[in-house]
Amino acid sequence: MSVHLSRRSALFASAGAVVLPSTAWAQVSAKAPANDDATLVQAVDAYVTSAMAAWPDQPALGIVVVKDGQPVLTRGYGVKRQGAAARADEHTLFAIASNTKNVTAAALAILVDEGKVKWDEPVATYIPGFTLSDPVIGARITVRDTLSHRAGFGLGAGDLLFWPNSDRTRAEIMAAVPHVPIEDGFRANYHYCNLMFVVAGEVIANVSGQSWEDFVQTRILDRVGMTDTVPFTSMADPAKSALPHGRVGPPLRYQGEMTLLSDSIAGIWNWDSAGAAGGFCTTATDWAKWIAVRLAMGALPDGSRLFSEATAREMWRPNIITGSSPGPTAELPGRAIASTYAMGFQVQDYRGERLISHGGGSPGGISATVLIPGRNVGFAIFSNAEESYLLRALRSGIADIVMDKTGFDWIADSKRIEAEGNAASLAAAVEIDAKQAAGSPPSQPLSAYVGTWRDPWYGDITVTPRDGGLWLAFSRTPALQGPLEAYDGETMRTRFPDKREEDAFITFDLASGTATMKGVSPDIDFSYDYQDLRLTRV
């Protein structure tokens, strides 16, 4: 099993959750600054420069530090496109994916302050007829639940409705919601769920009479003065954007050379239909303004309020435990006693203080926002590549600089974890290929597997004959189509020509006319929720 730092870890893991034994690496520990802003900026800048040197394939970064309501650092590093001259700056657009979620929560907070929405009112109050595959949960789920990842869905359930880029409309996604399977008890456990943030966006639309994107534009972005920010990646000018990069193999995704994934952010990451869960593109300059508003508990620079202080505090109140441990040790200095999820933010202890954070992960980009309210400081990291270990080193290292902590080398530690994860991934790839080479052929002629296989929430997946073999195609996801290869008996595997995407196993039960799927790679991103498909031949 790989220990690759997945998008899930980049999004939700508490800072410094994993530490491996020391190996030789140049020690570049975060140095604690004096209290003055200039020294803080110098320390962060030097640390970021050291981190980029440790990950030389990283094209660009955007870094934000806000202290006492003022941006002390808004800076771009590197180039917007690998091998090109155009450098990132404080106005370069980055996709921030799930960092959008706390903006969606804030939009609902505005409506709560206006008395138009209640956190603990059922969703069906605002979306008449709303239900889920478990109708009891469908009747009870509240606005707070949609923002807290506690409805009972499995990790990433329903993401194939919009990941990878799909042609579905928002109305079509909402029509599919009642059919997505629920695998856990209501409010029993934490399972990250983008789908419920799409629902939250529709609560905003139904109550306000504006689409989610129009509401956040007019009621948040315009008021805060975030003039660079766009609610959809499709609105991001490629010339102003840090373009997406990643490793597409061989042998597996997240291995191999760093590669430009698309000439635009939307080319690989278009969530217009799921914007409330992860649509934003923003800049260092603009996100500094947002961090200042959040640290000011909703107060704007002109003295007016975006949302009330009481509502601001409610958005930071924990709703579900995401993890717990005995706490930090010398080898695990960042380990939280308790990690929780509130509404659009994770809340945890870090080195004895409250830390409020969120991550964002898209194909070709990852990001993090970190608030330390006790010090009235917040910072953010934007990246246009999938170097998750770099993000880990930056998130924890900058937090330590802000908190005057020394003595732990997050860069070296993250490089150690990266090396072990890569070795495990390469070994897994060899094992996958060996099992295929030793596997038995399908029990029936290939024609027996041809047909349309339908899932209640996703829709149709077709298997057709092509060039003497089989071809599998997801009907609503253009990138997910390619040849099927024999793997072992009734299990076959895809070989998608678009190497940016993750392959899947499909196991047929011809007697019952059903099939199931799961990802091939142990490092697969959780949003490829193949395992949630329940296919029936039609």
Side-chain angles (χ1 to χ4, degrees), residues 460-537:
D460 290 351
I461 295 172
T462 59
V463 178
T464 56
R466 182 178 295 194
D467 300 328
L470 297 176
W471 184 270
L472 180 143
F474 282 68
S475 60
R476 306 302 300 273
T477 315
L480 297 184
Q481 55 177 303
L484 269 182
E485 297 178 353
Y487 189 79
D488 187 15
E490 302 310 287
T491 297
M492 302 183 191
R493 65 155 293 170
T494 66
R495 192 75 70 170
F496 294 130
D498 189 338
K499 297 304 180 185
R500 302 174 301 178
E501 309 302 345
E502 292 277 13
D503 285 309
F505 293 120
I506 179 167
T507 301
F508 297 94
D509 186 336
L510 296 180
S512 65
T514 61
T516 57
M517 297 186 74
K518 66 177 183 177
V520 170
S521 171
D523 294 337
I524 191 169
D525 191 285
F526 68 78
S527 284
Y528 294 93
D529 60 318
Y530 298 129
Q531 71 280 355
D532 291 323
L533 298 171
R534 305 292 183 268
L535 300 165
T536 302
R537 195 177 208 156

Side-chain angles (χ1 to χ4, degrees), residues 1 5 20 74 86 102 107 137-138 161 177 180 190 315 325 366 372 420 487:
M1 182 66 179
L5 187 65
L20 299 180
T74 54
N102 73 78
I137 298 177
L161 292 168
V177 167
V180 178
Y190 169 81
M315 283 189 281
S325 80
I366 50 179
I372 309 173
E420 181 161 310
Y487 189 79

Side-chain angles (χ1 to χ4, degrees), residues 343-406:
M343 288 189 280
F345 270 120
Q346 183 184 28
V347 181
Q348 67 178 84
D349 59 285
Y350 179 77
R351 294 187 178 272
E353 300 185 32
R354 183 172 60 154
L355 184 144
I356 296 167
S357 65
H358 212 284
S362 63
I366 50 179
S367 56
T369 301
V370 178
L371 309 178
I372 309 173
R375 295 175 181 265
N376 202 19
V377 175
F379 64 89
I381 304 149
F382 307 144
S383 165
N384 67 334
E386 300 163 345
E387 300 284 61
S388 297
Y389 300 94
L390 169 59
L391 183 76
R392 177 183 183 270
L394 289 169
R395 182 179 55 195
S396 299
I398 295 175
D400 282 2
I401 291 172
V402 169
M403 299 171 72
D404 294 344
K405 303 296 183 182
T406 59

Side-chain angles (χ1 to χ4, degrees), residues 51-402:
M52 288 195 76
W55 280 270
D57 290 342
Q58 175 65 46
L61 291 174
I63 302 294
V64 179
V65 181
V66 175
K67 181 182 176 186
D68 297 328
Q70 297 299 316
V72 296
L73 178 65
T74 54
R75 190 167 297 173
Y77 297 78
V79 294
K80 292 185 280 188
R81 177 174 183 157
Q82 186 182 51
R87 298 192 62 79
D89 62 23
E90 68 274 22
H91 294 291
T92 297
L93 285 165
F94 288 82
I96 64 167
S98 286
N99 279 290
T100 308
K101 288 181 169 64
N102 73 78
V103 181
T104 295
L108 280 163
I110 292 169
L111 294 172
V112 168
D113 282 340
E114 293 175 351
K116 297 176 181 178
V117 169
K118 295 181 179 179
W119 293 123
D120 297 307
E121 191 73 14
V123 171
T125 303
Y126 308 110
I127 304 178
F130 179 83
T131 190
L132 297 173
S133 58
D134 182 329
V136 174
I137 298 177
R140 295 180 60 196
I141 187 171
T142 65
V143 173
R144 185 189 303 274
D145 293 320
T146 67
L147 302 174
S148 304
H149 306 299
R150 63 181 192 178
F153 291 97
L155 174 63
D159 281 3
L160 282 172
L161 292 168
F162 36 83
W163 168 302
N165 287 358
S166 173
D167 62 3
R168 279 189 174 85
T169 65
R170 197 170 299 163
E172 288 176 314
I173 292 172
M174 290 297 295
V177 167
H179 306 289
V180 178
I182 293 174
E183 68 175 39
D184 202 355
F186 184 44
R187 300 176 185 162
N189 293 291
Y190 169 81
H191 301 285
Y192 198 83
C193 184
N194 290 302
L195 192 62
M196 288 300 96
F197 273 81
V198 179
V199 172
E202 288 306 279
V203 171
I204 294 167
N206 279 18
V207 171
S208 71
Q210 293 180 282
S211 65
W212 168 84
E213 57 271 24
D214 287 344
F215 188 93
V216 297
Q217 181 67 58
T218 58
R219 301 296 302 275
I220 294 179
L221 298 180
D222 290 348
R223 288 200 65 199
V224 179
M226 298 170 69
T227 55
D228 291 335
T229 303
V230 292
F232 290 153
T233 60
S234 63
M235 300 169 66
D237 181 350
K240 299 178 181 179
S241 301
L243 298 177
H245 295 75
R247 303 179 191 274
V248 298
L252 296 173
R253 190 71 166 82
Y254 309 114
Q255 301 293 322
E257 299 297 319
M258 185 65 75
T259 303
L260 178 71
L261 298 182
S262 176
D263 288 325
S264 68
I265 294 173
I268 189 69
W269 176 256
N270 185 334
W271 269 26
D272 288 8
S273 60
F280 264 38
C281 291
T282 193
T283 66
T285 297
D286 267 10
W287 203 244
K289 298 174 185 177
W290 182 242
I291 288 176
V293 171
R294 297 312 303 250
L295 288 171
M297 309 302 285
L300 295 171
D302 65 3
S304 65
R305 281 198 161 272
L306 194 64
F307 43 80
S308 69
E309 183 173 349
T311 306
R313 295 188 185 282
E314 192 68 18
M315 283 189 281
W316 287 355
R317 184 166 74 85
N319 291 320
I320 189 77
I321 295 172
T322 67
S324 63
S325 80
T329 66
E331 294 76 23
L332 299 163
R335 189 169 65 170
I337 296 172
S339 298
T340 69
Y341 201 91
M343 288 189 280
F345 270 120
Q346 183 184 28
V347 181
Q348 67 178 84
D349 59 285
Y350 179 77
R351 294 187 178 272
E353 300 185 32
R354 183 172 60 154
L355 184 144
I356 296 167
S357 65
H358 212 284
S362 63
I366 50 179
S367 56
T369 301
V370 178
L371 309 178
I372 309 173
R375 295 175 181 265
N376 202 19
V377 175
F379 64 89
I381 304 149
F382 307 144
S383 165
N384 67 334
E386 300 163 345
E387 300 284 61
S388 297
Y389 300 94
L390 169 59
L391 183 76
R392 177 183 183 270
L394 289 169
R395 182 179 55 195
S396 299
I398 295 175
D400 282 2
I401 291 172
V402 169

